[in-house]
Amino acid sequence: MLQQKVRVRFAPSPTGGLHLGGVRTVLFNYLFAKKNNGTFILRIEDTDQTRYVPGAEEYIVDCLKWCGLIPDESPLHGGEYAPYRQSERKPLYREYAEKLVMHGYAYYAFDTPEELEQKRSNVPNFQYGMAYRNEMRNSLSLSQHEVDALLDAGTPHVIRIKMPEDETISFNDMIRGHVSFDTNTIDDKVLLKADGMPTYHLAVVVDDYLMKISHAFRGEEWLPSAPVHLLLWEYLGWKEHMPQWAHLPLILKPDGHGKLSKRDGARLGFPVYAMNWTDAKTGDLTEGFREIGFLPEAFLNLLAMLGWNDGTDQEIFTLDELIEKFSMERISKAGAKFDFEKAKWYNAEWIKKLAPERLTAEIKPVLATKGVEVTNDAYLTAVIELIKDRIVLLNDAYEHAWYFFKQPEEYDLASVKPKWNEAKSDLFDAFISHLNQSRAFDAATLEADFKALLTEKGLKPGDAMLPLRIMLVGGKFGPHVFDIAALLGKEEVIKRIKNGLKAFNA
């Protein structure tokens, strides 16, 4: 194999939402490219027009943008190997398909859908291959005169690869090592469809060759297609240019039994798509990791750890750290179970780790959806610093922050009223008077002054700390009560204590 500059590609079909397994494939491509000073390419494989969904390509681009995995070459960014949509490359595929026919590696098949269906009805587990190809209507079973007449008449036809008999096809997978296939078990795949569009098998080989792809990473489920692709690289005379392949392990259901699917997410209550996806035909919404409150850094971090580790106990990685430490040798052959609780742990850790300004920018729109319009970013940043250890998903922010922006409308009276008395009421009247005269309003001073007042009134902290908290926030929750008070400010705290006293004394 010739030594090539590292060029890798992610080549999705624009048919729906982007599964987290697809994003992991993007991530591993990206990490490998950046680790080796290579190029990461996005190529849209839209040759199956029957499954094409409007808006899906834009959605894929938006997902990669959210994740921060920006391609060097793509339909959007361009590049010297454009176009990067297979539908725009349609004319060039027939040339290579016809070349395969000319050299005896492929053939024309004129069978109608009805004829194929009839054969499937008559032959259980029918495969269009060496066992039955001579019984079908194709250029192997028909005379040259009949074939020419059908072609001249414009008869619809496909081009199929002619799989050889009794051969073993082998290659070395970067993850799985030596892999072999028996050609007798593989059918004659369609390479070029009747509409002139290539199938995945032909297009992926032609495009990988023309775009000088050096390494091809794809999911384990594509392993059965490998022998067809290996033969095409050989038959087209490009074997020495063939990329090194790596078939990534599956992401499994939480119980480990089978590949994780969208249905599993819906059944178990977690997303499997990177971002919200709305089915254009049904209008059904499938929720995404972004919309339920995941940070892109956490999303990439958790995906990297599904099937890879750096050999240490480290679990939290920045993208730069992943690039530095990534290696193909550390990718597991075995599938990785998806654990949503662990996924949320990654997000909580990243919320603690993220720079305050960045976290403020992420949480501000979350609060806006709940009717909290933040006009002072510095104040919001201070709030977030107090509550971020309590947030698991960004969408949790409102639950932990609302009382910093509006007064409680209800109080947990059941926790206060049974032990409420005139002495406690007098204490808070005295505290209001003290606050009106006090100049300092930091948490430490507030706590010291309040506890001194308690001692003066002959009360214990346990008698008054909970009522103070409930006056400020409405319930038994939140960070340290004097941190809350210091952030709310003197005027607001006095107002809330007065309102609380009215409710407690009613």
Side-chain angles (χ1 to χ4, degrees):
M1 183 176 292
L2 297 178
Q3 188 66 33
Q4 295 173 284
K5 181 181 184 295
V6 168
R7 288 176 57 80
V8 299
R9 53 37 176 196
F10 176 56
S13 298
T15 57
L18 186 56
H19 188 279
L20 59 91
V23 184
R24 189 192 60 175
T25 299
V26 178
L27 177 61
F28 285 1
N29 270 289
Y30 184 91
L31 296 177
F32 186 79
K34 299 308 170 187
K35 177 75 178 277
N36 294 284
N37 299 312
T39 302
F40 168 55
I41 299 149
L42 173 66
R43 186 174 72 215
I44 301 297
E45 300 200 341
D46 58 347
T47 58
D48 190 346
Q49 293 295 295
T50 60
R51 296 178 64 229
Y52 175 80
V53 176
E57 180 184 324
E58 292 80 3
Y59 167 87
I60 291 166
V61 170
D62 288 345
C63 286
L64 299 196
K65 185 177 179 181
W66 175 63
C67 291
L69 305 175
I70 309 302
D72 301 301
E73 301 171 20
S74 74
L76 190 65
H77 300 88
E80 61 178 306
Y81 299 96
Y84 293 92
R85 289 185 195 91
Q86 287 184 336
S87 59
E88 296 172 7
R89 302 166 66 83
K90 179 180 175 181
L92 63 87
Y93 299 112
R94 179 167 285 279
E95 171 194 343
Y96 296 105
E98 295 285 2
K99 181 180 177 182
L100 290 166
V101 174
M102 183 174 67
H103 288 96
Y105 297 128
Y107 59 92
Y108 303 113
F110 301 96
D111 316 278
T112 65
E114 294 75 20
E115 288 169 339
L116 289 170
E117 190 55 43
Q118 183 64 46
K119 195 70 173 178
R120 292 189 189 101
S121 298
N122 295 339
V123 179
N125 303 315
F126 168 72
Q127 278 194 319
Y128 202 128
M130 58 191 72
Y132 296 102
R133 63 168 74 114
N134 289 328
E135 299 175 13
M136 308 302 291
R137 212 155 59 95
N138 55 57
S139 56
L140 300 177
S141 62
L142 301 171
S143 67
Q144 188 61 50
H145 175 73
E146 289 172 310
V147 171
D148 291 342
L150 288 167
L151 292 174
D152 291 343
T155 306
H157 63 279
V158 301
I159 293 179
R160 291 180 178 271
I161 188 171
K162 183 183 178 186
M163 290 299 294
E165 296 183 39
D166 303 324
E167 286 189 18
T168 299
I169 299 176
S170 304
F171 76 100
N172 190 61
D173 189 278
M174 295 176 73
I175 296 170
R176 294 161 201 289
H178 186 78
V179 183
S180 296
F181 301 89
D182 177 0
T183 58
N184 292 331
T185 65
I186 303 158
D187 59 328
D188 295 349
K189 302 291 187 189
V190 174
L191 303 178
L192 198 74
K193 293 177 280 189
D195 63 2
M197 278 289 192
T199 62
Y200 169 75
H201 305 294
L202 178 64
V204 73
V205 172
V206 170
D207 287 342
D208 281 355
Y209 170 72
L210 294 178
M211 293 183 182
K212 294 183 165 53
I213 301 303
S214 64
H215 298 78
F217 301 164
R218 60 186 184 181
E220 177 186 320
E221 63 269 32
W222 288 105
L223 202 53
S225 301
V228 175
H229 302 168
L230 283 159
L231 286 174
L232 289 175
W233 280 98
E234 180 181 338
Y235 291 165
L236 288 166
W238 303 333
K239 192 172 183 179
E240 63 180 4
H241 300 283
M242 186 171 70
Q244 295 182 59
W245 288 1
H247 288 84
L248 305 174
L250 296 176
I251 297 177
L252 304 174
K253 304 174 196 281
D255 63 8
H257 299 301
K259 182 181 175 182
L260 181 70
S261 71
K262 184 176 80 169
R263 287 180 182 174
D264 296 317
R267 176 173 56 87
L268 298 170
F270 56 77
V272 297
Y273 285 171
M275 288 167 31
N276 275 7
W277 170 254
T278 302
D279 189 297
K281 294 178 181 176
T282 66
D284 291 342
L285 172 68
T286 303
E287 207 167 31
F289 278 87
R290 182 181 73 169
E291 284 74 14
I292 71 163
F294 269 79
L295 290 165
E297 292 89 345
F299 185 52
L300 292 183
N301 196 157
L302 74 92
L303 289 180
M305 304 302 283
L306 288 172
W308 173 87
N309 67 77
D310 74 336
T312 73
D313 292 332
Q314 183 176 346
E315 291 189 276
I316 303 299
F317 293 88
T318 65
L319 187 56
D320 285 342
E321 286 173 328
L322 287 172
I323 291 169
E324 178 190 345
K325 299 195 174 186
F326 183 75
S327 70
M328 297 301 295
E329 293 76 21
R330 299 296 310 175
I331 296 178
S332 171
K333 295 178 187 177
K337 294 180 189 178
F338 180 72
D339 181 345
F340 188 53
E341 292 307 310
K342 184 69 173 182
K344 289 192 292 185
W345 176 84
Y346 279 108
N347 205 57
E349 292 300 305
W350 265 100
I351 285 172
K352 294 172 192 171
K353 177 183 174 68
L354 215 61
E357 298 77 14
R358 170 71 195 291
L359 203 50
T360 298
E362 293 283 355
I363 287 176
K364 191 174 180 179
V366 172
L367 297 180
T369 63
K370 298 287 189 177
V372 176
E373 294 297 335
V374 177
T375 55
N376 184 337
D377 283 1
Y379 178 70
L380 175 57
T381 300
V383 169
I384 291 169
E385 282 299 297
L386 272 188
I387 65 169
K388 67 181 182 181
D389 287 357
R390 300 162 182 267
I391 301 174
V392 175
L393 301 172
L394 292 174
N395 293 353
D396 299 339
Y398 177 79
E399 173 191 342
H400 296 288
W402 67 266
Y403 49 83
F404 286 102
F405 298 93
K406 55 185 181 181
Q407 294 183 22
E409 295 178 0
E410 297 178 353
Y411 298 94
D412 181 5
L413 296 177
S415 297
V416 175
K417 292 286 272 185
K419 295 184 179 181
W420 186 252
N421 56 36
E422 191 173 338
K424 292 179 183 178
S425 184
D426 290 344
L427 168 77
F428 283 99
D429 282 331
F431 190 47
I432 290 171
S433 298
H434 173 80
L435 292 177
N436 278 321
Q437 297 168 19
S438 174
R439 291 187 178 182
F441 207 79
D442 60 275
T445 302
L446 283 169
E447 184 170 5
D449 290 354
F450 188 72
K451 287 182 177 177
L453 195 58
L454 282 170
T455 301
E456 181 185 317
K457 298 289 184 181
L459 295 170
K460 297 176 181 177
D463 294 326
M465 297 296 276
L466 181 59
L468 175 59
R469 176 178 294 280
I470 292 174
M471 286 173 179
L472 297 184
V473 305
K476 296 187 289 185
F477 49 79
H480 186 51
V481 69
F482 295 104
D483 287 335
I484 297 172
L487 199 49
L488 287 172
K490 181 191 289 190
E491 186 179 329
E492 183 67 17
V493 167
I494 291 172
K495 190 185 298 182
R496 293 193 185 192
I497 292 175
K498 287 180 177 178
N499 288 343
L501 282 172
K502 287 178 187 176
F504 295 176
N505 290 326

